[in-house]
C-alpha cells in the first residue's frame, strides 16, 4: 500500500488497462526501478516509509511550473492563494523583446484581495488575449477531461501577463514565499487557414537527377514549389530531419536520432551553399560530385539501397572544402546571429560531434573526464577541438538556412501551410542530447509500448525518457528550446506518439517491455509550452494519435487545437459493429491519410501484397491462407462502401481506380488536411519501414519506386500520368468565370 501511494505521488502507475475490461498489475520491481530513476529510493519498506513521510510532509505554496491559459480561469495554485497575498510576475529576459533591446522588463505586481473570483468580465471586441482584460472562458478542467461549458473569469486582482515564460513570486500575509515558472499560453495553437491536401514523403527516398545518393533539402524545396504551383497543394510532410548518430553503419531510422534539437547536415544540398562556387580545389569537388552521381546511379538503376554513410562521407569531404571559403560580411553577421540565438545548446551539440569523431558515437565509452559536458577535461577538449566545433556549428547553420529556404519555397508557391516537420518521440541513449542534458533523462530506462492486441510482447524503442520532475523544475527549458528550434523554419509540426505529452511507457533496463509501466507527465504544462511556441511561429500542430490512447487525451488535444491523425483502414465504427466509418462521421480536426511510413502502401493494401511480404519474412502468426482471407475481407468491405458512394465508377479490379477512389473518400470527410503518401502516386508497393523487422528488411533505405520496384526520380514522379490522374481527384476547383455577356447558372 505504501509503495502504491509513493508511486502515485510521483506519477508512476502500479497498474494499467490494455482494454476497458482488463486491468494488469505492474510488478513491484518495476515500480521500484522507475522510482529510483526519478531519484526516489524505495528499495525496502523502510525506505518507502521514509520517502512517503518526506513527500507528504512537503508543502509547496506553488508547484515548480504554473500554467495560465489566455481567457481562462486561473489554476487552483493561484486562485486558491490566501487573501492579501502579493503576486509579482517578472518576465524572463530571454522571453522579453524589450530586454533584448536593452530595456529591462518591468514586473507586474498585484495583490489578492479575496479568495473568491470576481464577476465575469467580457472582453471588448477586438481585444487580444493577454492584453490586460480578463475574459469569459470555460472553467479549468483536468487535461484528461472534457471542458465544462459554464463561464467564469479570473479574479479581479489578476493582471494577465503577455504570452511567454515568466517568473512568478508570491508572498502571503503570514510571510511565506514561493517562486515558480509561469507559462502564459494562448488557449489554442494556430489552425490551418483552409482545407488543404499535401504530400507525405520520407525525404531520403526522394532522389532527383542532382541528388548525392539520397533526397536532400534542395529536392524538398523543389517538390514543394512544384506541388504548390502545379497541384494547389497546401503542404509537404517529411520524416524527422534530426541529427543522426554518426558511425558505420549509422542507424538509418530517423526516429532514433542523436539530437532532436538540431538537423542533420547530411540533408544539405551542397551546391546551393553560396561558398560552394568559390572553392579553390575544383578538381576535388568534381571528383566528389562524380562519386555522388555514381551513388545515385547505383540506387536508381542497379538496385542498390540508399547508403547514408557513403552519402555523408562524400558530403563531409565537400563541406570541409566549402567552410574554408571566407564568409562575406553579411553572411558572417548572419552566422554570428545564429550562434547567439542557439547559445549553449549549439555549442554542446557541436562539441559532442567533435568528440564523437575522436572517441566514437557513444559518450558512455568516452574517457571519464569527457562524459561530463561541464568538466575541466571537457573544457580543455573544447579548446583543442575548436576548429571542429566551429565546423559543426557552421553545418548546423547551413542546414537551418536550407530548411528556411524550403519553407520559403513552399510559401512562395502559395502553400497555405508549407513544410510539416516531424518530431520523433525520443533520442538515442548515447547521442548528443543525452550527453548535454544528462540530468533531464531518466537513467537505465527506455520508452516503449505495453502489450496489446497487435503485439503481445510489447515494444522497447530504446529511447531514454525525459524526467517529468526535472522538466517541471527547469520550467520545461529543454522542451521549449526543442520546439522553438523545430518550429522556426516550419509551417507545421507533426508530433510522433503525441500521447507522450500525457504519459509514456517506461521499461527498466534489462527487463522485457511487458515489465514496464506508465509514467505521467504534466500534460497541462506540455500543451501550454506547445501552444506558446506554435503561436509564436504561427505553425499548425498535428499529433500522431494512433494506437492505444488514454481516455480523454484526444479531447484535451482538440481543446488546444492540436489536430489528430486518421488513417482510413483504422477508421471503423467500433461501437456499431466495426463497419467502415462513413466519411461524414470522421472527425474534422485531423490529418486524414490512406497510409503512413509504417504501413503498407495503398496499392499493396488493395492487392494483399503486404501480407505475402510478411509471409516471406516469417512474420505471420497464422497461416498465409488465413491472413489473406481476413485481409481480403477487410479490403472488400471498404471497396463495397466506395462503390455504394459512387466513388469507384470504373468498377472493381482496376488498381489505379481503387487508389483514386480511396482518396475521393478522404476528400469527402471533413478533415482539415488530406495527406497523400507520395509513393502511392506512382504505385510503389514497398513499405518504407516494416515494424517487427531489423535486418530482414531494408527499413529506411528504399527509394520511391514504380509498381515493378524500379526506382523513380523526382523528375519522373512529377511527370507521371498516374500521379496526375490521382491528383485530379484532389486538385482545388477554381470557380467558373462566365465570359462577358454570359450569365452564370
Amino acid at each position: 500500500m505504501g509503495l502504491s501511494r509513493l508511486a502515485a505521488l510521483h506519477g508512476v502507475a502500479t497498474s494499467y488497462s490494455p482494454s476497458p475490461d482488463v486491468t494488469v498489475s505492474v510488478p513491484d520491481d518495476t515500480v521500484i526501478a522507475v522510482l529510483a530513476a526519478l531519484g526516489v529510493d524505495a528499495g525496502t519498506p523502510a525506505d518507502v516509509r521514509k520517502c512517503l513521510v518526506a513527500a507528504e510532509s512537503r508543502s509547496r505554496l506553488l508547484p515548480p511550473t504554473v500554467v495560465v491559459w489566455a481567457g481562462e480561469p486561473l489554476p487552483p495554485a493561484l486562485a486558491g492563494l490566501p487573501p492579501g497575498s502579493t503576486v509579482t510576475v517578472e518576465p524572463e529576459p530571454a522571453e522579453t523583446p524589450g530586454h533584448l533591446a536593452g530595456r529591462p522588463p518591468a514586473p507586474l505586481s498585484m495583490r489578492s484581495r479575496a479568495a473568491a473570483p470576481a464577476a465575469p468580465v467580457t472582453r471588448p471586441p477586438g481585444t487580444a488575449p493577454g492584453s490586460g482584460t480578463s475574459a469569459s472562458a470555460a472553467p479549468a478542467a483536468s487535461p484528461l477531461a472534457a471542458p465544462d461549458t459554464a463561464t467564469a473569469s479570473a479574479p479581479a486582482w489578476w493582471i494577465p501577463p503577455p504570452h511567454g515564460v515568466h517568473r512568478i513570486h508570491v508572498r502571503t500575509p503570514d510571510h511565506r514565499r514561493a517562486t515558480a515558472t509561469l507559462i502564459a499560453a494562448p488557449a489554442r495553437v494556430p489552425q490551418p487557414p483552409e482545407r488543404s491536401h499535401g504530400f507525405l514523403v520520407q525525404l531520403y527516398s526522394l532522389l532527383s537527377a542532382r541528388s548525392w545518393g539520397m533526397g536532400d533539402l534542395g529536392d524538398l524545396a523543389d517538390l514543394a514549389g512544384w506541388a504548390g504551383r502545379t497541384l494547389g497543394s497546401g503542404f509537404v510532410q517529411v520524416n524527422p530531419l534530426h541529427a543522426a548518430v554518426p558511425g558505420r553503419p549509422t542507424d538509418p531510422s530517423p526516429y532514433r536520432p542523436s539530437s532532436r534539437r538540431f538537423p542533420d547536415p547530411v540533408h544539405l544540398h551542397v551546391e546551393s551553399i553560396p561558398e560552394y562556387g568559390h572553392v579553390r580545389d575544383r578538381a576535388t569537388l568534381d571528383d566528389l560530385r562524380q562519386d555522388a552521381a555514381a551513388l545515385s546511379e547505383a540506387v536508381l538503376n542497379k538496385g542498390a539501397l540508399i547508403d547514408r554513410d557513403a552519402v555523408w562521407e562524400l558530403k563531409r569531404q565537400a563541406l570541409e572544402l566549402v567552410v574554408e571559403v571566407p564568409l562575406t560580411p553579411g553572411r558572417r553577421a548572419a552566422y554570428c546571429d545564429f550562434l547567439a540565438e542557439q547559445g549553449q545548446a549549439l555549442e554542446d551539440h557541436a562539441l559532442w560531434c567533435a568528440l564523437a569523431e575522436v572517441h566514437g558515437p557513444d559518450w558512455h565509452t568516452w574517457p571519464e573526464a569527457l562524459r561530463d559536458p561541464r568538466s575541466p577535461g571537457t573544457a580543455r577538449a573544447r579548446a583543442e577541438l575548436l576548429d571542429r566545433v566551429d565546423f559543426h556549428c557552421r553545418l548546423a547553420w547551413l542546414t537551418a538556412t536550407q530548411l528556411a529556404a524550403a519553407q520559403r519555397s513552399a510559401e512562395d508557391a502559395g502553400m497555405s501551410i508549407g513544410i510539416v516537420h516531424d518530431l520523433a518521440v525520443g533520442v538515442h541513449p548515447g547521442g548528443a542530447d543525452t550527453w548535454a542534458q544528462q540530468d533531464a533523462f531518466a537513467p537505465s530506462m527506455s520508452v516503449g509500448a505495453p502489450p496489446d492486441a497487435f503485439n503481445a510482447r510489447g515494444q522497447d524503442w530504446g529511447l531514454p525518457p525525459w524526467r517529468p520532475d526535472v522538466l517541471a523544475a527547469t520550467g520545461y527549458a529543454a522542451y521549449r528550446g526543442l520546439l522553438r528550434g523545430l518550429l522556426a523554419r516550419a509551417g507545421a509540426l507533426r508530433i510522433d506518439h503525441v500521447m507522450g505529452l500525457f504519459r509514456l511507457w517506461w521499461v527498466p533496463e534489462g527487463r522485457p517491455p511487458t515489465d514496464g509501466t506508465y509514467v505521467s507527465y504534466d500534460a497541462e504544462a506540455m500543451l501550454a509550452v506547445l501552444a506558446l511556441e506554435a503561436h509564436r511561429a504561427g505553425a499548425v500542430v498535428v499529433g500522431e494519435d494512433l494506437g492505444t490512447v488514454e481516455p480523454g487525451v484526444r479531447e484535451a488535444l482538440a481543446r488546444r487545437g492540436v489536430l489528430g491523425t486518421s488513417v482510413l483502414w483504422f477508421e471503423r465504427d467500433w461501437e456499431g459493429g466495426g463497419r467502415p466509418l462513413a466519411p461524414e462521421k470522421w472527425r474534422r480536426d485531423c490529418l486524414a491519410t490512406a497510409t503512413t511510413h509504417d504501413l503498407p502502401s495503398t496499392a499493396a493494401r488493395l492487392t494483399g501484397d503486404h501480407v505475402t511480404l510478411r509471409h516471406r519474412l516469417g512474420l505471420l502468426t497464422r497461416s498465409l491462407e488465413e491472413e489473406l482471407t481476413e485481409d481480403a475481407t477487410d479490403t472488400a468491405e471498404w471497396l463495397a462502401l466506395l462503390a455504394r458512394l459512387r466513388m469507384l465508377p470504373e468498377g472493381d479490379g482496376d488498381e489505379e481506380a481503387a487508389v483514386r477512389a480511396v482518396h475521393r473518400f478522404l476528400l469527402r470527410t471533413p478533415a482539415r488536411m488530406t495527406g497523400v503518401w507520395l509513393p502511392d502516386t506512382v504505385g510503389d508497393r514497398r513499405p518504407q519501414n516494416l515494424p517487427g523487422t531489423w535486418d530482414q528488411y531494408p527499413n529506411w533505405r528504399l527509394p520511391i519506386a514504380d509498381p515493378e520496384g524500379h526506382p523513380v526520380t523526382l523528375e519522373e514522379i512529377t511527370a507521371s500520368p498516374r500521379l496526375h490522374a490521382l491528383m485530379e481527384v484532389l486538385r482545388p476547383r477554381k470557380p467558373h468565370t462566365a465570359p462577358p455577356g454570359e450569365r452564370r447558372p
Side-chain angles (χ1 to χ4, degrees):
M1 192 67 178
L3 181 61
S4 297
R5 174 62 181 158
L6 184 63
L9 290 173
H10 291 87
V12 179
T14 54
S15 65
Y16 67 97
S17 298
S19 59
D21 55 344
V22 176
T23 299
V24 178
S25 296
V26 175
D28 285 353
D29 288 349
T30 295
V31 176
I32 292 170
V34 170
L35 286 171
L38 293 170
V40 179
D41 184 3
T44 68
D47 294 329
V48 171
R49 288 192 295 271
K50 179 180 178 182
C51 291
L52 196 55
V53 169
E56 292 181 331
S57 63
R58 191 183 302 124
S59 175
R60 293 186 63 99
L61 188 58
L62 290 178
T65 296
V66 179
V67 172
V68 174
W69 296 99
E72 297 187 12
L74 292 183
L78 295 179
L81 288 173
S85 297
T86 299
V87 180
T88 303
V89 177
E90 177 185 1
E92 286 190 342
E95 307 288 337
T96 309
H99 181 79
L100 296 178
R103 297 185 296 275
L108 299 173
S109 295
M110 57 209 86
R111 184 179 298 276
S112 171
R113 295 194 303 271
V121 179
T122 302
R123 181 187 297 122
T127 305
S131 62
T133 302
S134 185
S136 299
S142 163
L144 298 184
D148 196 315
T149 56
T151 58
S153 69
W157 56 266
W158 174 251
I159 304 173
H163 295 329
V165 179
H166 316 295
R167 296 295 289 172
I168 184 168
H169 307 277
V170 172
R171 186 177 70 250
T172 65
D174 60 356
H175 306 297
R176 288 185 296 156
R177 296 173 181 267
T179 296
T181 298
L182 176 68
I183 302 173
R188 289 168 61 83
V189 304
Q191 298 298 288
E194 59 187 12
R195 285 195 72 189
S196 62
H197 71 265
F199 289 121
L200 319 177
V201 63
Q202 299 283 290
L203 181 57
Y204 59 82
S205 70
L206 182 68
L207 282 74
S208 68
R210 65 182 185 178
S211 300
W212 286 41
M214 62 181 280
D216 59 40
L217 292 171
D219 299 322
L220 176 59
D222 208 24
L223 174 66
W226 169 79
R229 288 184 170 86
T230 306
L231 305 175
S233 299
F235 62 91
V236 174
Q237 177 183 301
V238 295
N239 55 286
L241 304 181
H242 309 318
V245 177
R248 296 185 73 94
T250 299
D251 185 343
S253 172
Y255 291 91
R256 201 164 181 250
S258 168
S259 172
R260 296 188 294 174
R261 175 76 182 265
F262 297 100
D264 198 312
V266 76
H267 299 111
L268 281 168
H269 180 240
V270 180
E271 292 96 323
S272 294
I273 301 172
E275 289 73 37
Y276 179 88
H278 300 280
V279 171
R280 293 182 179 179
D281 190 353
R282 305 306 302 181
T284 300
L285 271 187
D286 290 343
D287 288 344
L288 292 171
R289 189 65 188 89
Q290 289 180 8
D291 290 344
L295 277 181
S296 290
E297 169 71 13
V299 172
L300 294 172
N301 297 314
K302 298 180 180 178
L305 299 175
I306 292 171
D307 187 341
R308 183 192 182 104
D309 296 326
V311 172
W312 173 238
E313 180 59 26
L314 295 178
K315 287 192 177 183
R316 183 192 60 77
Q317 294 180 55
L319 292 166
E320 299 275 5
L321 299 174
V322 168
V323 299
E324 290 177 358
V325 177
L327 295 171
T328 64
R331 294 268 292 165
R332 175 157 292 282
Y335 178 44
C336 290
D337 282 350
F338 180 78
L339 293 175
E341 175 187 286
Q342 301 300 322
Q344 186 68 53
L346 176 59
E347 184 176 340
D348 287 344
H349 174 72
L351 178 56
W352 182 91
C353 293
L355 289 169
E357 292 176 335
V358 178
H359 301 288
D362 186 350
W363 61 268
H364 297 93
T365 66
W366 292 356
E368 189 171 352
L370 301 179
R371 297 176 196 170
D372 179 358
R374 307 290 172 250
S375 73
T378 301
R380 288 191 295 272
R382 180 184 291 107
E384 295 166 359
L385 297 171
L386 194 58
D387 287 346
R388 297 306 299 171
V389 172
D390 183 66
F391 173 71
H392 291 289
C393 285
R394 181 85 71 90
L395 297 192
W397 172 59
L398 292 173
T399 311
T401 59
Q402 289 196 4
L403 286 169
Q407 177 63 14
R408 284 196 303 273
S409 177
E411 292 171 347
D412 291 346
M415 285 191 166
S416 57
I417 295 175
I419 308 302
V420 183
H421 287 284
D422 198 350
L423 173 61
V425 71
V427 294
H428 193 285
D433 282 2
T434 57
W435 177 72
Q437 305 168 19
Q438 292 176 40
D439 291 344
F441 288 92
S444 303
M445 291 288 149
S446 176
V447 173
D452 56 28
F454 300 99
N455 193 329
R457 292 174 293 183
Q459 300 175 54
D460 184 344
W461 302 333
L463 308 170
W466 264 337
R467 286 181 53 169
D469 57 329
V470 174
L471 285 177
T474 56
Y476 294 82
Y479 178 50
R480 284 188 277 138
L482 168 61
L483 291 177
R484 188 171 300 184
L486 286 169
L487 290 165
R489 299 159 189 91
L493 180 66
R494 172 192 182 270
I495 301 180
D496 191 42
H497 193 71
V498 72
M499 295 81 78
L501 300 181
F502 297 79
R503 65 178 186 178
L504 283 171
W505 184 258
W506 287 23
V507 181
E509 185 177 39
R511 290 191 171 93
T514 50
D515 284 356
T517 190
Y518 280 113
V519 175
S520 296
Y521 291 76
D522 184 345
E524 193 82 347
M526 299 289 275
L527 288 172
V529 172
L530 178 61
L532 174 63
E533 296 301 336
H535 172 79
R536 286 170 163 167
V540 174
V541 179
V542 179
E544 184 273 293
D545 56 352
L546 304 174
T548 302
V549 183
E550 185 182 7
V553 166
R554 288 195 175 106
E555 292 78 4
L557 293 170
R559 184 185 182 199
R560 298 306 171 195
V562 178
L563 305 185
T565 301
S566 294
V567 177
L568 181 131
W569 309 101
F570 302 152
E571 292 296 316
R572 288 178 171 271
D573 183 6
W574 299 111
E575 296 181 359
R579 292 182 297 273
L581 192 64
E584 66 274 11
K585 300 290 187 180
W586 285 41
R587 53 183 169 170
R588 175 175 179 265
D589 296 325
C590 74
L591 166 64
T593 72
T595 189
T596 73
H597 58 268
D598 282 334
L599 296 172
S601 70
T602 305
R605 172 78 69 168
L606 291 168
T607 59
D609 283 4
H610 67 110
V611 177
T612 55
L613 171 62
R614 295 181 67 83
H615 172 66
R616 288 199 305 270
L617 297 176
L619 300 176
L620 299 183
T621 57
R622 298 181 297 174
S623 71
L624 176 60
E625 291 73 19
E626 289 178 293
E627 294 280 355
L628 285 172
T629 298
E630 181 177 292
D631 184 71
T633 300
D634 180 87
T635 301
E637 285 185 325
W638 279 103
L639 291 175
L641 175 59
L642 297 176
R644 287 197 303 273
L645 295 174
R646 298 184 179 180
M647 295 180 181
L648 193 53
E650 300 87 347
D652 198 5
D654 185 331
E655 176 193 305
E656 290 189 44
V659 173
R660 291 195 295 271
V662 163
H663 289 85
R664 286 191 187 99
F665 182 94
L666 294 177
L667 198 63
R668 182 78 65 86
T669 73
R672 304 284 291 274
M673 298 169 67
T674 302
V676 180
W677 179 235
L678 189 60
D680 272 349
T681 65
V682 290
D684 197 345
R685 281 167 159 69
R686 306 174 303 175
Q688 282 294 316
N689 178 53
L690 190 58
T693 63
W694 178 246
D695 56 1
Q696 308 100 308
Y697 186 80
N699 295 317
W700 318 113
R701 290 173 287 170
L702 292 172
I704 297 175
D706 64 17
E708 288 71 43
H710 301 138
V712 290
T713 64
L714 172 60
E715 293 82 1
E716 292 168 329
I717 292 170
T718 58
S720 166
R722 179 167 178 156
L723 177 144
H724 285 279
L726 172 59
M727 298 311 294
E728 275 298 315
V729 172
L730 297 165
R731 190 192 305 272
R733 298 292 189 265
K734 294 183 179 180
H736 171 70
T737 301
E742 178 182 327
R743 291 176 62 96
R744 179 176 299 175

